[in-house]
């Protein structure tokens, strides 16, 4: 993965596959689950990126939705400790839910979760899309 833009979006949400932006590079990673996206965001934070969106937003629990999108911005070679703490806390919180049973999603509910994730992230990063 080469990064050409200052802002990146890490997502497993197919709604972002077709988004084309000159201001944010979208990494669509369909093989990663919710936790995988958190780990990938943490990897980028260690590469001196900072969070633009909170890793856990809305009242939807991590075990309820399979979709996660996180926006980050290049922090000019500096490790952002606040982002690191936030992602680590989000990973720890999500681990608490790993043993919860995930209900089978109907196509309609699955589409709703995609839309919710999409709207939350787009609303937060609208100015850079």
């Amino acid at each position: 993965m080469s990064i050409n833009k200052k802002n990146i979006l890490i997502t497993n949400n197919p709604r972002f596959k077709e988004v084309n932006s000159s201001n944010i590079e979208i990494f669509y990673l369909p093989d990663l689950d919710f936790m995988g996206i958190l780990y990938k965001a943490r990897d980028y934070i260690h590469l001196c990126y900072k969070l633009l969106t909170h890793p856990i937003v809305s009242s939807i629990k991590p075990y309820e939705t399979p979709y996660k999108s996180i926006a980050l911005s290049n922090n000019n070679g500096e490790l952002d400790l606040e982002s690191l703490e936030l992602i680590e806390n989000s990973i720890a919180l999500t681990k608490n839910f790993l043993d919860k049973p995930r209900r089978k999603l109907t196509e309609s509910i699955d589409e709703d979760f995609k839309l919710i994730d999409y709207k939350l992230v787009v609303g937060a990063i609208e100015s850079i899309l």
Side-chain angles (χ1 to χ4, degrees):
M1 252 183 239
S2 69
I3 304 169
N4 301 319
K5 298 177 183 157
K6 180 175 173 56
N7 303 306
I8 62 173
L9 179 73
I10 302 166
T11 185
N12 64 355
N13 186 341
R15 282 191 170 252
F16 284 103
K17 271 196 311 192
E18 304 304 318
V19 174
N20 199 359
S21 170
S22 60
N23 296 321
I24 191 164
E25 190 159 353
I26 298 172
F27 297 115
Y28 173 58
L29 306 166
D31 295 333
L32 293 183
D33 60 6
F34 192 104
M35 185 63 91
I37 296 294
L38 293 177
Y39 284 134
K40 186 61 78 174
R42 183 179 64 185
D43 292 346
Y44 278 100
I45 291 168
H46 282 288
L47 294 172
C48 298
Y49 276 74
K50 66 180 178 178
L51 291 168
L52 292 177
T53 57
H54 195 289
I56 308 283
V57 292
S58 81
S59 60
I60 298 172
K61 305 289 184 279
Y63 66 90
E64 292 177 324
T65 179
Y67 303 106
K68 184 80 231 148
S69 302
I70 300 175
L72 300 107
S73 179
N74 188 304
N75 201 33
N76 300 317
E78 290 186 35
L79 179 63
D80 185 69
L81 295 178
E82 186 178 328
S83 291
L84 186 57
E85 182 179 4
L86 194 54
I87 198 71
E88 291 293 354
N89 290 340
S90 298
I91 289 169
L93 175 71
T94 302
K95 282 181 179 178
N96 290 332
F97 290 107
L98 289 180
D99 61 343
K100 301 277 188 209
R102 177 171 275 152
R103 66 180 168 173
K104 185 158 173 55
L105 300 180
T106 64
E107 188 174 328
S108 173
I109 292 172
D110 189 63
E111 288 301 318
D112 288 345
F113 281 137
K114 289 176 192 171
L115 180 62
I116 291 167
D117 176 69
Y118 179 83
K119 290 285 189 179
L120 286 170
V121 172
V122 167
I125 62 170
E126 208 168 283
S127 64
I128 59 174
L129 281 176

